[in-house]
Amino acid sequence: VGRYANRIAKAQFTLDSITYTLAANNGKNSLHGGNKGFDEKVWSVKETTDSTLSFHYLSPDGEEGYPGNLDMNVKYILTEDNQLVIDYTATTDKATPINLSNHAYFNLSAGTDSTILNHELMLNAELYTPVDKELIPTGKVAFVVNTPFDFVKSKPIGQDIGKVEGGFDHNFIFKSMGKAAELYHPSSGRLMTLYT
């Protein structure tokens, strides 16, 4: 997802006293980088091995309204310990906002369940960012304790999702680098751990 994962309000931002206008592809807001995000770009393959795949893309100055040439690399590594590592690097020749992210969805049932609501999720996050009706962060930070957003202790994703209008589409603030989340599928015993 890029150049910017999540939403930018009113499809514009001001940086160094210059206002930049972006594509409004989510109502009046810009979502995940604009009309043609990085998922729709042709990346060049830099390296392939039995366990590694590396890609490169140069996003030119002005693409989707963003300033600066953004030179990016992403490397996918499958380790012998059954880990998937995604490593992003980027450089630019102008100040520019950037929020690169993977946007994969995981269902650990291997196709036997059509929903992940019975998956159990733990997030190492005591804080989250509340959003407005258009899912734009309000600028406030709130504690997850005693709210549907409390995944500090593992619980089924579907347990409290009905208490949140539109479901979970919020940012969580991790306590520290390292173990960020665990997803568990009770029926199969599959467990996925996310580190950042």
Side-chain angles (χ1 to χ4, degrees):
V1 177
R3 283 188 187 194
Y4 198 88
N6 210 331
R7 292 164 182 83
I8 295 179
K10 300 177 185 171
Q12 68 179 20
F13 64 91
T14 301
L15 181 63
D16 295 333
S17 301
I18 300 171
T19 298
Y20 295 90
T21 302
L22 310 172
N25 63 334
N26 182 245
K28 62 184 179 182
N29 305 309
S30 183
L31 177 64
H32 295 331
N35 287 324
K36 198 167 182 183
F38 291 162
D39 60 312
E40 296 185 39
K41 302 296 181 184
V42 177
W43 293 61
S44 58
V45 177
K46 285 183 61 176
E47 174 190 14
T48 60
T49 69
D50 288 342
S51 60
T52 302
L53 185 56
S54 299
F55 296 98
H56 172 262
Y57 179 67
L58 176 64
S59 176
D61 184 21
E63 183 173 63
E64 295 290 341
Y66 289 90
N69 294 297
L70 187 66
D71 195 349
M72 294 172 296
N73 294 287
V74 61
K75 182 186 278 191
Y76 296 86
I77 305 163
L78 187 59
T79 73
E80 291 183 9
D81 294 327
N82 206 23
Q83 296 173 323
L84 174 62
V85 177
I86 305 173
D87 183 27
Y88 301 96
T89 58
T91 57
T92 184
D93 56 3
K94 288 183 182 176
T96 189
I98 183 169
N99 188 22
L100 299 176
S101 181
N102 175 46
H103 207 306
Y105 292 91
F106 293 93
N107 183 327
L108 303 183
S109 74
T112 60
D113 292 337
S114 62
T115 177
I116 53 95
L117 295 180
N118 60 352
H119 286 48
E120 296 175 4
L121 179 64
M122 183 284 298
L123 296 176
N124 191 20
E126 294 178 347
L127 301 167
Y128 76 102
T129 57
V131 297
D132 64 18
K133 290 182 180 182
E134 294 181 322
L135 301 175
I136 301 292
T138 63
K140 296 180 180 177
V141 173
F143 285 97
V144 300
V145 67
N146 296 323
T147 74
F149 302 97
D150 190 351
F151 288 96
V152 173
K153 291 184 180 175
S154 183
K155 70 177 181 183
I157 294 171
Q159 179 175 314
D160 294 322
I161 197 168
K163 298 175 184 175
V164 180
E165 186 177 341
F168 298 117
D169 196 352
H170 300 72
N171 302 300
F172 288 84
I173 301 170
F174 296 122
K175 293 180 192 176
S176 61
M177 300 293 279
K179 183 176 177 180
E182 269 190 352
L183 185 66
Y184 176 65
H185 182 245
S187 299
S188 67
R190 290 185 186 94
L191 175 72
M192 182 176 74
T193 306
L194 174 71
Y195 294 87
T196 188

